Amino acid sequence: MLRNVTAALCAAASILSATVAFAEEAVPEAAREALRLTIYRNGFALVSDRRTLPLRAGTTRLRVEGVPATLHLDSVLLRADGTDLALQAVRYEAATPTAATLLQQAVGRIVRLARVNPATGEQTEVEAEVLSAGPGGPVYRIDGRIEVDYPGRLILDRLPPDLRLRPALLLDVDGGSAQAAPATLHYLADGLGWDADYAVVLAPSRERVGLTGYVTLRNGTDTAFRDAQVDVVAGDLNRVSPGQDARAESAEAPMMMRAMAAPDMPKRQSLGDYHLYGMPRSVTLAPGQAERTALLSTDDVPARVHYALYDTPPVVGPLSTEGADRRPVSVRLVFDNQDPGPDMPLPEGVARVYVADAAGALRLLGEDRLAATPMGEDVELQLGRSFDVTAERRQTSFSRVGERITESGHEIVLANARDRSVTVEVHETMRGEWDILQSSLPHQKADATTVVWRVEVPAGGRTTLGYRVRSRL
């Protein structure tokens, strides 16, 4: 008998010890000391969340609140200062009290159902065993009978143990001794992203621009990130396609836009083969919110307006008799990314170009996607098609001089209705092996299929470019 009592006491002590070892300790958002978001263009972020952890001797189960449902469970890291912490297990629990989850958790249990008599307003309650809670509706056993869709309101005295008021990340941590330890929790989360955009104001001289860049931060998760230091990373990271892990779909919400003026500009630094821009002050992003802040601002950047004619390959065949073919002349704005100027790596983003009219009001000239541009390289933006600078091209001759060898003549007339002269770059695409036999203006072979002419067109005048080409197909 004594042996049995001793064994029972030992078993009870073992259970109590395990219960104490794995008793949950809440780590609320109020315990947060610092928060940093490193947001990448791929629509995800590295979250670094520093909090003080309440540890017990042995293993402690920490319930960390205020983390998004889009986190990647397999990316969770825990780092502590001066404390030997061992992260033993990680689990994300997203089940929160809803009518559906309460019914599902109550399957197999006795609950109370309340209903109101519509005639008298009297409320009555019955005890019922929940047999199932499928999509077809709940099934109960009441007084020995099976009831389907019983018209009663579910009443529970307490929440089921597997349900929480808020989603939480559960960490089983071996801290060695009982003490409060500051630590930083790192994890990757989807649903956070950023975009860049630019406002470019062209001076009346058309030789200078003012450039302002902005960053829009977006929070598409179900979690608010308060007073976060934010860094954005420009560059394309390689990532493995994520599987169906412990991430849940966040509820769709309208994206609220909020603009803010930053007195200081983000600080830039290199991050391997990428560039990192640190926002100048902390940011709070609510779920479904977007916030726009200044990235750079610079005035008096040297620029030039560039006209170009990009043509299709010259006709190879009998001489056309349908006359001249009108072709659009594109207008581009070009400026150097150097000093004076931005002189910093420019992330990819939409650039809108404006010019002031005679009354000083800004007018949109066009918009284009600014490609990611390192320092020292040109920025080239397509504005549209010129109204005043036009082009007509025609084929003037054609002959077959050998097997699969042809010679053809072409003429391009450029007209300029503006009050100042312009230079138009004419790009012609050639077929097969080719040689320019004759040209009225100097030309340059840009590559194996392209020849380029820089044609000066006087104000209110015309310039004709003529050339003959031999092609072997």
Side-chain angles (χ1 to χ4, degrees), residues 202-208 355-357 420:
L202 180 63
S205 67
R206 297 164 63 91
E207 296 178 350
R208 322 290 290 187
V355 69
D357 62 13
R420 66 181 72 183

Side-chain angles (χ1 to χ4, degrees), residues 147-369:
E147 297 277 358
V148 178
D149 285 339
Y150 185 84
R153 189 176 71 253
L154 180 66
I155 298 177
L156 298 174
D157 295 326
R158 63 182 62 86
L159 283 177
D162 293 335
L163 286 183
R164 304 177 185 277
L165 292 177
R166 300 182 59 190
L169 183 67
L170 300 183
L171 307 177
D172 290 349
V173 177
D174 187 354
S177 59
Q179 59 180 344
T184 302
L185 179 68
H186 304 274
Y187 58 86
L188 298 178
D190 291 328
L192 289 154
W194 70 279
D195 295 295
D197 68 277
Y198 302 88
V200 184
V201 179
L202 180 63
S205 67
R206 297 164 63 91
E207 296 178 350
R208 322 290 290 187
V209 297
L211 176 67
T212 305
Y214 300 92
V215 167
T216 299
L217 308 174
R218 304 181 186 277
N219 179 12
T221 74
D222 58 354
T223 300
F225 297 93
R226 298 180 178 86
D227 297 324
Q229 295 297 318
V230 177
D231 303 312
V232 299
V233 177
D236 295 324
L237 277 73
N238 184 60
R239 293 192 72 200
V240 177
S241 298
Q244 298 299 318
D245 51 21
R247 293 173 294 120
E249 294 295 332
S250 59
E252 293 186 2
M255 188 69 75
M256 300 177 293
M257 291 293 295
R258 183 157 65 101
M260 72 184 233
D264 300 315
M265 296 302 167
K267 302 298 187 293
R268 182 192 63 82
Q269 59 176 297
S270 294
L271 184 67
D273 289 315
Y274 315 110
H275 291 281
L276 182 144
Y277 303 83
M279 298 299 103
R281 60 189 181 93
S282 62
V283 175
T284 294
L285 288 174
Q289 187 181 64
E291 183 166 302
R292 188 169 181 251
T293 186
L295 172 68
L296 64 95
S297 182
T298 182
D299 295 321
D300 203 32
V301 180
R304 61 189 182 276
V305 176
H306 177 76
Y307 295 89
L309 175 66
Y310 295 94
D311 217 332
T312 55
V315 175
V316 178
L319 185 63
S320 173
T321 60
E322 296 181 357
D325 183 15
R326 293 183 64 89
R327 296 298 173 92
V329 175
S330 67
V331 186
R332 296 173 180 249
L333 179 66
V334 182
F335 60 88
D336 296 332
N337 183 16
Q338 59 186 10
D339 187 19
D343 198 26
M344 65 182 293
L346 299 179
E348 177 187 356
V350 174
R352 296 175 178 88
V353 182
Y354 304 88
V355 69
D357 62 13
L362 287 183
R363 307 292 186 179
L364 180 68
L365 284 182
E367 64 180 20
D368 195 11
R369 180 162 293 279

Side-chain angles (χ1 to χ4, degrees), residues 70-90:
T70 57
L71 71 86
H72 289 251
L73 201 63
D74 57 1
S75 70
V76 173
L77 295 172
L78 189 63
R79 295 290 184 266
D81 299 335
T83 304
D84 187 15
L85 291 184
L87 185 58
Q88 298 181 339
V90 183

